[in-house]
Amino acid sequence: METKLIHINANCTEPTPEEEAALRQAGEIIRNGGLVAFPTETVYGLGGDALNPASSRKIYAAKGRPSDNPLIVHICRFRDIHRIVRRLPEEAVRIAEAFWPGPLTMILPKAEAVPRETTGGLDTVAVRLPSHPVARRLIAYSGGYIAAPSANRSGKPSPTCARYVSEDMDGRIEMVIDGGEVGIGLESTIIDLTEENPRILRPGYVTQEMLDRVLGKVDMDVTILDPDSGQAPRAPGMKYRHYAPQGSLVVVEGEPGEVAAYINRRVEEDRRRGEKTGIIGTTEVLEQYRADVVKCIGSRGAQEDIARNLFSILRQLDDEGVTSIYSESFPEEGLGQAIMNRLLKAAGHRIVRLPAGEGGSCRD
Ligand code: TXA
Ligand code: MG
């Protein structure tokens, strides 16, 4: 299959007549059961008609994703939610008022209209109303309900620009819409509202503190806080080793100067063994690092930059053939929870915690 690439100026909420025509054509593709990758404010999505079981099967095939891993249904107007959920708890309305349109997904009881192919066999459904103007127009032109996982091949980091989508999806889907680089760079926060207490299943740009303020206390899924808990994650997708670079990745936590010295030592050893080495570091410490490839993820205090750069840096390290990667660790406050969740997943939870002083302990 030949994958058509179209460009839409993401910053313009009013598309040109040509862009408008292209978006309508994209909508037609989805209505006819085809797949279109498109930008959202978080990461690029791989969209198909959420109410068509054949479309969802195609999404799993294109991604190479296990079909027990449910998809998020994207809508463009709040009122469209009633067709796909059986019951709308009062918390859902409060959350929608506070955070929609935006980077937040709610898990709710599913209505008949949503096929089990879309929800990976579950009787709950994930719903999100994105803020990206291109995404919202596309959803409207597609009939109102787009099932969309991140537009990466399974096991790769979520794509933050159209080039990465094309690398993964060319020849597998009908169209890619290039709307430039995304703003956030990490996938949406997921909150489960189907149980007694609201619970975060995946941390994201909408933080626990922000949700606490709207709902009172919200819980964090234990499998996020403690990957060794032995419990199955409640978002099935969280159990897979996502976002993994080809090279091995180790996260190092400690005082910045100590971290740099420790990483440089490990890099030296790895180099002697013939590894191609890479480091993910912050602006403040960058010039202390010695490795084949050193990537700047942003300034230590600039969490939004760190979030936006993470997935792209993981892809770049792969592209440059780096086989052994070390990264600084980041404080788990606010958006830092989501950053560390994705970074530790990419590292297969390998983290070295340096005690103040010297040495280190490794949890491999
Ligand atoms: O920001 C985002 O959410 C992006 C953009 C494209 O919207 N989408 C995205 O989708 O990240 P995906 O498929 O890569 O991740 C969806 C996650 C998976 O971990 C999946 O298991 C979980 O949501 N999920 C979906 N439906 C669920 C349900 N009914 N119950 C529990 N978890 C669910
Ligand atoms: Mg994904």
Side-chain angles (χ1 to χ4, degrees):
M1 168 187 324
E2 196 177 330
T3 303
K4 190 168 177 190
L5 178 65
I6 64 165
H7 297 267
I8 307 280
N9 181 355
N11 297 324
C12 79
T13 26
E14 277 311 309
T16 63
E18 293 75 36
E19 289 177 332
E20 181 73 20
L23 282 172
R24 282 187 190 280
Q25 194 198 348
E28 264 320 290
I29 292 172
I30 291 181
R31 280 175 196 270
N32 292 330
L35 304 185
V36 175
F38 62 99
T40 83
E41 69 276 22
T42 56
V43 298
Y44 273 74
L46 172 58
D49 180 354
L51 307 185
N52 178 350
S55 297
S56 294
R57 281 195 292 269
K58 279 192 201 165
I59 291 176
Y60 290 116
K63 266 185 80 82
R65 172 176 186 159
S67 57
D68 67 343
N69 189 355
L71 308 174
I72 295 175
V73 180
H74 296 67
I75 56 176
C76 61
R77 300 178 304 198
F78 181 75
R79 64 175 182 275
D80 294 336
I81 200 171
H82 299 291
R83 183 157 167 214
I84 54 173
V85 308
R86 197 168 64 241
R87 190 169 48 78
L88 195 63
E90 178 258 337
E91 288 102 326
V93 177
R94 293 222 307 268
I95 292 182
E97 275 168 1
F99 304 113
W100 275 2
L104 181 112
T105 298
M106 295 188 235
I107 309 293
L108 293 163
K110 145 184 135 51
E112 255 336 280
V114 187
R116 286 193 185 269
E117 281 78 357
T118 300
T119 64
L122 300 176
D123 58 11
T124 55
V125 61
V127 191
R128 169 157 125 77
L129 201 170
S131 63
H132 197 292
V134 173
R136 293 179 69 182
R137 257 171 210 270
L138 177 67
I139 298 165
Y141 295 154
S142 304
Y145 301 92
I146 294 187
S150 49
N152 51 291
R153 290 273 294 161
S154 199
K156 291 268 214 149
S158 295
T160 51
C161 67
R163 184 164 57 83
Y164 296 147
V165 177
S166 297
E167 278 173 22
D168 283 13
M169 292 298 160
D170 259 357
R172 303 177 154 266
I173 63 177
E174 277 78 2
M175 185 186 271
V176 175
I177 302 177
D178 182 349
E181 281 192 23
V182 299
I184 294 177
L186 299 180
E187 308 86 346
S188 61
T189 307
I190 302 181
I191 184 161
D192 184 357
L193 297 175
T194 62
E195 307 271 331
E196 187 71 13
N197 294 321
R199 181 180 306 202
I200 295 171
L201 304 187
R202 180 172 73 183
Y205 188 82
V206 174
T207 62
Q208 188 170 19
E209 292 85 348
M210 289 158 77
L211 286 160
D212 280 346
R213 251 176 268 141
V214 175
L215 292 183
K217 189 88 195 83
V218 301
D219 298 333
M220 181 71 77
D221 191 74
V222 289
T223 60
I224 293 167
L225 298 172
D226 175 14
D228 302 328
S229 67
Q231 289 194 32
R234 300 205 319 171
M238 299 298 275
K239 75 179 175 235
Y240 298 105
R241 182 169 177 249
H242 264 173
Y243 328 114
Q246 314 275 295
S248 81
L249 169 62
V250 176
V251 180
V252 184
E253 182 186 282
E255 188 273 315
E258 303 256 342
V259 168
Y262 176 86
I263 289 180
N264 284 339
R265 269 201 317 275
R266 293 270 308 249
V267 162
E268 205 35 58
E269 288 164 22
D270 292 352
R271 268 176 159 171
R272 276 201 292 272
R273 280 202 302 272
E275 305 269 4
K276 181 163 182 186
T277 54
I279 296 175
I280 304 174
T282 48
T283 322
E284 291 77 4
V285 205
L286 212 63
E287 60 182 28
Q288 297 184 33
Y289 290 121
R290 304 281 171 269
D292 297 310
V293 182
V294 178
K295 295 284 181 196
C296 182
I297 196 165
S299 177
R300 264 202 100 63
Q303 284 188 317
E304 301 208 351
D305 292 345
I306 294 172
R308 192 178 322 107
N309 291 331
L310 176 62
F311 286 156
S312 163
I313 286 180
L314 291 176
R315 288 215 179 221
Q316 290 166 32
L317 289 167
D318 274 351
D319 291 346
E320 294 177 41
V322 173
T323 55
S324 173
I325 309 162
Y326 296 89
S327 173
E328 286 176 33
S329 178
F330 306 98
E332 288 191 49
E333 283 143 33
L335 184 53
Q337 256 179 345
I339 293 168
M340 284 306 286
N341 170 259
R342 306 309 194 276
L343 182 62
L344 285 173
K345 270 164 131 346
H349 292 280
R350 281 189 299 168
I351 180 162
V352 176
R353 297 198 164 90
L354 299 177
E358 28 59 84
S361 74
C362 192
R363 195 174 104 200
D364 269 55

